[in-house]
Amino acid sequence: MILEAAKAKLAPYLVPIIGTLVVVVFGAFWWLWSDREQLLEKNATQAVIISNAAQANRENVASIKYLEKDIAWREQKAIERQRRGRHRDKQLAQTREELRKALEDAPECVDQPWPDAVFNIMRRDTVLDPNGDRAGEGAGGVPGSDSDSRAGG
């Protein structure tokens, strides 16, 4: 009996309250559903951006590895060039010392013209004789006729 009396007194208030609750729940559901669609679109856009960034990252890593190998190769070549340069400088110093000693031993030969064999050796593999086909020829085609005063002829 008490329950029926409470139902009778609360019935006029329950319908509007339940109706309001249904409207609020439906409104919240609609709002959340529309927000979900926006978030799904944003998520798809960000997934594409992340995929593109990952691809760019893979390409950059490959490029970095290639450049590191190239740098190592260039460093190796630079070290080889330095070794060759030191070896060449050592040979040059040795040859200069030999020439200096030769000049000390024979100072009267300094003002004499050099023989053609010396010019052939000096011209070998130079700009004046790049192919080695002018062995012994001077400027006029005659052996020993080089007009260069340093050449002695």
Side-chain angles (χ1 to χ4, degrees):
M1 185 159 153
I2 296 179
L3 189 58
E4 288 179 18
K7 280 184 185 179
K9 280 192 156 196
L10 292 177
Y13 297 112
L14 285 180
V15 172
I17 289 175
I18 292 174
T20 305
L21 286 175
V22 168
V23 169
V24 168
V25 168
F26 181 72
F29 182 76
W30 175 80
W31 177 68
L32 289 173
W33 189 264
S34 66
D35 201 30
R36 176 185 176 270
E37 293 298 324
Q38 290 175 353
L39 289 174
L40 287 175
E41 289 176 12
K42 187 176 180 181
N43 188 24
T45 304
Q46 289 179 345
V48 169
I49 290 171
I50 289 173
S51 175
N52 291 341
Q55 179 62 26
N57 189 33
R58 285 189 291 274
E59 291 172 0
N60 288 341
V61 167
S63 177
I64 287 170
K65 287 180 181 178
Y66 171 76
L67 291 174
E68 286 174 344
K69 287 179 184 177
D70 188 49
I71 288 170
W73 180 81
R74 290 174 187 261
E75 287 175 350
Q76 180 63 33
K77 294 302 175 185
I79 290 170
E80 290 174 9
R81 278 193 305 275
Q82 288 174 349
R83 287 181 188 154
R84 284 194 308 266
R86 285 193 300 265
H87 181 69
R88 208 173 35 246
D89 291 343
K90 185 178 174 182
Q91 285 181 333
L92 178 64
Q94 187 178 10
T95 303
R96 282 183 176 164
E97 183 62 26
E98 289 174 7
L99 287 173
R100 187 186 60 74
K101 286 182 180 179
L103 285 175
E104 287 176 359
D105 292 343
E108 67 278 353
C109 295
V110 172
D111 295 327
Q112 301 297 318
W114 293 352
D116 288 337
V118 172
F119 287 114
N120 291 341
I121 292 170
M122 290 171 50
R123 267 189 230 126
R124 194 176 336 151
D125 299 326
T126 63
V127 175
L128 293 176
D129 188 24
N131 298 325
D133 56 358
R134 291 180 46 186
E137 293 183 6
V142 179
S145 65
D146 196 352
S147 62
D148 188 1
S149 62
R150 294 175 292 160

